[in-house]
Amino acid sequence: MPALASAQQSAESQAIQPDPAAGSDAAQTEGDSSQDIVITGTRRSLEDALATKRASSIIVDSISSEGIGKLPDLNLAESLQRVPGVQINRSANRRQGTVSIRGLPGDFAQTLINGQYLASPDVSNFSYGTVRSEVFSGIDVIKAQGADQLTGGLSGLINLRTGSAMDAKQGLAVSVDGTYEELTQKIAPGGAVTAAYQIVPDVLAIRGAFGYKSSNFRIDNFQVNTYDRIAGATTPTDNTDDILRPREVRLPNQRIKSDSLSGSFGLEWRPSDSLTAEILGFYNDFRSDADQNEFLVSVQSTSTVTALGSPVQSGDFGSTISALRIVNPQINVDTRLLTEKFRTGAITGRLAWTNDDWTVTGTGHYTKATRDVLTQGYQSIQRAVAGGNGYSVDIDTGSGKLQDAIFKLTPGAGQLVDLQQRFGAPIAPTYREVQATGRPGASFLGGFRNQDESEDELSISLDIAKAFQSGPLSAIRVGAVYRDKSQDQSQSIAGLFGANLASLSNSFYGYSIFGGGASYLNGKADGIDLSGYGQLDVRAITAAITPVSGVPAGNAYFIGPEGLVNFFDSTALSLIYTNSQKIYGGYAMLDIDQDLSDTIKVRGNLGVRYERSERATQAQRQPQVLSLEYENLLPSANLIFEFGRSLVLRTSYTETLRRPQVDSFAVLRSVAVDGTGQIVTVGLGAADLKPFTSENLDISLEWYNRNGSSISLMGFRKKITDYAGTTRICPSDGGGFGFGALTDASGVCRTVNASPAQGSFPAVLQGAAVNINVTANQDAFVLSGFEVSVQQNLDFLPAPWNGFGGQVNYTNVDFETKGTFRLGEISKHTVNAIVYYEVERFGLRAAYNYRSGYFLASAGTQTGADRSVKSRAQIDLSGSLNITDRLSLTADAFNITNAQLIEFEGASNRIRNYFEYGRTYSVGVRYRF
């Protein structure tokens, strides 16, 4: 009987495990030709994953590590993209890792740990790039689930498995590795220890894994944040006569140093054949320092702009001027230090009793995650002034070719603002900015946002199964679960009140993110030279201007963790909330296992799940408690038809739900103004947001043509209703937000007049870009497509060719809606391929990933308006050498073609971003005792 169809296994409380019988059946169809091949490394990983898929009574794809080993990629997110239908979002910064399943964004998926909910450090979804992979035995991507599994994953469930202590291979393994980054030219160390031991054989076992990983990498970026429409009629549907030119250009760079400690453990006790007790634990502590520097120039009302070339046609999006000269621009040198601390933990206790007919399983689970973000930062600002500020800048976006990009500021900005001159008092109410008294338009700005988030959940569940030894029903299962979840967020902004500004020195311009590493953009843009631009030393400035001499009166001000005066401004007050949810759930399920003939068998499950959710939210700017209750009934049917030992037809209908993110309903009104007063971002939530639900149809045909090999085709369709999405508005009267009338005549929503600081609301410039995002339940949309996957080993060939094998998969996704909103991160085409050659002593592997272009919505002041991402391909290589049966060496090379990521607005020559990541190399040694 397949493992997941067994009455003795609950998919909600138990990790998905491969069925050894599945592999044996497949092997028998082709004889025993594989016995001369040592199955390790990539082949072992792929074949274990295939066995899990073959045996499952739901639709699942898996990644399996080799015993007590490591997943074969740079991080978990990179590993997950090898799964059919999974895409990685490389626009996410700092390699924290977000993934999409079948085109739906990362927050549509739900992350589990050993079948239970895993709290997220940012209360949206787990950051896969922050964890050392050795602490997991594998990952399951569940695309069509059963009624006994947790809700929350509209696109799917991602189940991280730490492994059974009793079933783990006994022994101790130690690995040490180093990763070299091309852009920083630095090596980051890492290592792991994994162990498993049966204290009393088949009765008491323990396993554990501990890993450390570090990183020291850089991300270089050339960005056109916004464009101005300078010609063309203001029509929403016809843009062919529009002419656009850059308004604001940024040169952002990040250097990230991080450390991560990860651990997992398992203790399993089987005092008798009928009783099993198990404790599973997981913990991850991730800390990073991201030095961020940005040179920014922008067009202001007193600036003079001259085109340095003719407009170039951008298809249906009009024409674009890519080269221009700005005289009297605003210039910002913006340097920040973003310190993040993520902590995630989970512990699960499980007690199961079973006999030939009954299985009763009780599970208690607790998980908690915290995220602390401390942002120290300072800006030197030279604003445009009447009569000119003495600066001009020549810009060419390159029209999609980085090598043609130009950025030349005259004169240079080694010390943009004299920090040793006299400044006025910090400007109330935020006290973030001081203005030079002797230089018009010159100022110094300090302090950025600090944020704390936490999430925890306690759950208790009971599962009961009655097995049947004959007939079409193999089991009847019922279960109940209680989940108690809480989420909290707090935010503040730092300023310069009471700071010792007399200690400011021009020596603070001596810092460089590029020190000791490759040149900006890896030397690919000769027209951009940042060697003469001064970057601020955040650490030195903070040390010099603290401690502060006092705190303003009022409860809104306090000393923050960096030693500066912090303030609850209008944005911070909007983002402070507490939220609690109680979820009561239950399910009933029939397991089916029946031979229809000598060659045809049907198995699977039919079930229904009921959930009642109670939510209570209290926000700082909305003192009364906002309560909401709702109920959902979610049917599911998964039927698998087996034709002989090699052909499998899977059919599935499921209904799933996703509760809206707490930020969407707790934040009823947030207004953020960047440090220059040029970009305003407004978020409007909705307290009565309903959960969004999905009706899912899946069908697949799988041919297991030989041992460890398969060819499969799958079609899927998801109809999502009540999606809590975001739309953009631009009310001409300003909407009462405090910055006056608005106009979209330039193609971007902008302020008509300048607005002075009012109360806790900072000043906003004339012509500032205003992004007003409204969150609401949207119209239904449909996501449909198909997946093709081929996995083959060639062990039937004579030596040495019998060491070859590989896997290739393709996913096609279509998005349909009658509404006007767009869903980001959906790529129509995704291709993954792995080719390997492995023999007893060594192995080689090449991996290819391709993702077609996709849309990204605006994420705030730094990303600018909506944009699209160009298609991108990446190739990775790896090799291993088994010196002895216990000692092995590994080497990996990632992004060997040095592929860039490019974003554009409308047409590909209207560039928005060039991202340069560089290549990454890793070497390691592993010894098994």
Side-chain angles (χ1 to χ4, degrees), residues 14 163-168 200 202-207 266-271 276-280:
Q14 202 89 354
S164 164
M166 197 70 71
D167 298 335
V200 180
D202 300 324
V203 176
L204 182 63
I206 188 171
R207 67 163 299 278
L267 179 66
E268 191 168 353
W269 180 44
R270 297 179 184 175
T276 300
E278 187 176 28
I279 298 177
L280 300 170

Side-chain angles (χ1 to χ4, degrees), residues 753-772:
N753 303 299
S755 301
Q758 302 176 31
S760 63
F761 197 86
V764 176
L765 299 181
Q766 179 185 8
V770 180
N771 303 312
I772 304 177

Side-chain angles (χ1 to χ4, degrees), residues 101-361:
I101 301 177
R102 289 177 170 174
L104 288 171
D107 57 1
F108 279 72
Q110 184 69 72
T111 304
L112 309 178
I113 182 77
N114 297 313
Q116 303 293 316
Y117 180 76
L118 181 62
S120 167
D122 58 1
V123 300
S124 58
N125 207 350
F126 189 69
S127 299
Y128 300 100
T130 64
V131 186
R132 182 87 190 190
S133 61
E134 281 90 341
V135 302
F136 302 116
S137 65
I139 307 175
D140 303 311
V141 180
I142 303 168
K143 301 175 182 178
Q145 63 191 72
D148 58 339
Q149 290 175 309
L150 292 180
T151 58
L154 227 64
S155 60
L157 303 173
I158 300 177
N159 183 40
L160 308 175
R161 292 186 273 118
T162 60
S164 164
M166 197 70 71
D167 298 335
K169 185 176 181 180
Q170 293 192 76
L172 172 69
V174 178
S175 61
V176 178
D177 53 63
T179 301
Y180 175 82
E181 298 287 348
E182 183 179 44
L183 291 186
T184 60
Q185 299 178 5
K186 299 295 183 181
I187 297 176
V193 178
T194 56
Y197 180 64
Q198 291 197 13
I199 302 171
V200 180
D202 300 324
V203 176
L204 182 63
I206 188 171
R207 67 163 299 278
F210 174 81
Y212 168 76
K213 66 179 292 186
S214 62
S215 64
N216 189 338
F217 65 95
R218 211 176 76 206
I219 301 174
D220 292 351
N221 183 200
F222 177 98
Q223 179 188 85
V224 181
N225 191 275
T226 52
Y227 283 86
D228 269 341
R229 184 167 64 190
I230 60 173
T234 307
T235 54
T237 57
D238 182 9
N239 302 310
T240 56
D241 60 346
D242 292 348
I243 300 178
L244 276 76
R245 72 181 182 202
R247 174 187 178 90
E248 181 181 301
V249 175
R250 303 184 180 207
L251 306 181
N253 316 279
Q254 296 187 73
R255 181 166 183 164
I256 299 96
K257 298 179 182 179
S258 69
D259 297 277
S260 176
L261 292 174
S262 307
S264 67
F265 74 91
L267 179 66
E268 191 168 353
W269 180 44
R270 297 179 184 175
S272 66
D273 292 340
S274 60
L275 188 64
T276 300
E278 187 176 28
I279 298 177
L280 300 170
F282 165 74
Y283 180 74
N284 185 60
D285 189 319
F286 172 82
R287 300 165 185 252
S288 73
D289 283 339
D291 286 277
Q292 303 175 341
N293 186 75
E294 181 174 273
F295 296 107
L296 180 155
V297 296
S298 59
V299 177
Q300 300 300 315
S301 58
T302 57
S303 303
T304 302
V305 182
T306 304
L308 300 180
S310 301
V312 177
Q313 187 65 33
S314 300
D316 294 337
F317 298 93
S319 301
T320 304
I321 296 173
S322 61
L324 69 161
R325 174 173 296 152
I326 309 172
V327 177
N328 190 30
Q330 175 166 317
I331 309 166
N332 296 59
V333 174
D334 181 343
T335 309
R336 309 182 191 187
L337 172 60
L338 178 66
T339 301
E340 293 183 281
K341 298 178 182 179
F342 293 175
R343 298 180 186 89
T344 307
I347 187 166
T348 305
R350 184 177 295 125
L351 182 65
W353 174 87
T354 185
N355 62 17
D356 291 340
D357 298 320
W358 292 91
T359 298
V360 180
T361 304

